[in-house]
Amino acid sequence: MRHSEHPNRRDVVRHGLAASALVFTPSRLFSAIEGLYEPQTPGRPWLAAALKAERWLTASAIHGPNGISWPADPTKPKSVSPDLYNGMAGVVLFYLELHNATKDANALTMARGGADFLMSSLPDEPGNTPMGLYTGVAGTAVVLSYVHSVTGDDAYQKGLDRALSLVSRAARRNGPGVEWNDSTDIISGSAGIGLALLALSKQNAINARQLALLAGDRLIERSQVVGDGRTWLISPQTPRNYPNFSHGTAGVSYFLTHLSGLPGSKGHLEAALAGERYLQSIATETPNGGRMIYHSTPGNDQLYYLSWCHGPAGTARLYRALGSVTRDPQWDARVRQLALGIQHMKVPERSPGFWNNISRCCGNCGISDFFLSLYRNSKDARHLAYAEEIGHDTLARATAEGDGLKWIQAEHRVRPELLVAQTGLMQGAAGVGLAMLHLDAARERRGRLVVLPDDPF
């Protein structure tokens, strides 16, 4: 969730259900949404909300000879991209999770159509094609793996094999290891690509684990020693230090932690722990016993985001992974402290930590998913209640279009005037719909189908 010194709230949500949501109580809001889907969704308001997001996504789809695609911005039909962040790969994951929740054949048809388009987008040779988890072919491989697991169709296994072959051939030796570009991070760099390789290591013929280990070796070499800790910059071209999950030390350390249990791992856990010591050295304690880590330096060491990208909801993933690997309870305690840091900022109230963003990356949905993860692991009903409170706020900020819902928001804190309703996973309706399905799963005691490689919960 993005920060502004002068947070804005839209004065009016434009029309339809979204406008009425501003004056409805949560129960009345649920009744209004769910009523449109009776008798299909009795007693399942979060599913009803996901189906409203699906209506808008279906209306935004482009059907072509290579399959189904979705523009990132439906008002710009040429904004189709295969990536997992803003692009259409994330929409495929939403439809797979919707099929998991409803067994609706049409949802699976839409997912297959999107997967067909993704396969058609794969080049024959790596060339300059991006390879990142959220920006390139590694993300496509993850999506095709899920489509194959659900459908059993060998065509998607072949597509997965093609994608992983591209990732393998694109790796370049550098120093003691490999890298794909100048980026170290989760979104586009070696940490994210390495996580995809680990997640898919049992589903392909390439030596994915060895390639991931080599990526970890190169990342250790690229670290910068600070006191008794280590930190990672995104790239030599980006001197700003983003310490949290998506672009910085928390994300790289998370990947290195996952490498530590593999045969042949040398120094990866030690480097991850050094990264954690750096994070500990710059953490801020909140009055309620929580912890937060600032956005970036230089200049933004008083700026705090709250969600997946630069906030506690993302950085907590490192501590969850450290707890799983070391069995040391201190790391679970750090997860709880980071959760308290979010609550200190009074999300979803319009507080100094709030920005006009409801996304999985920067806003509401990243936070609600984090607290749902805490609920799944602890069974503490307070975590579920908090996640649902954020879900209510997310619905109250929707805009109706036709018989669907979309979310108009500012993706970039520094460009508050750029308001767009997107389709994708990390900044759009697919991500919101996925968050709604996760809330429904918690109520229905249903497991999640889609768990991305950077999710330790």
Side-chain angles (χ1 to χ4, degrees), residues 218-256:
R218 172 62 176 153
L219 283 169
I220 293 174
E221 183 183 50
R222 291 191 60 182
S223 66
Q224 298 182 2
V225 176
V226 179
D228 66 344
R230 292 177 185 259
T231 188
W232 283 265
L233 300 180
I234 299 177
S235 73
Q237 292 75 38
T238 309
R240 177 171 294 279
N241 188 347
Y242 299 90
N244 287 286
F245 191 74
S246 65
H247 289 310
T249 299
V252 175
S253 297
Y254 174 84
F255 168 56
L256 295 175

Side-chain angles (χ1 to χ4, degrees), residues 274-294:
E276 191 285 322
R277 288 194 296 273
Y278 169 74
L279 295 173
Q280 183 178 350
S281 74
I282 63 171
T284 297
E285 294 186 3
T286 60
N288 66 340
R291 294 171 72 86
M292 301 181 70
I293 296 169
Y294 57 67

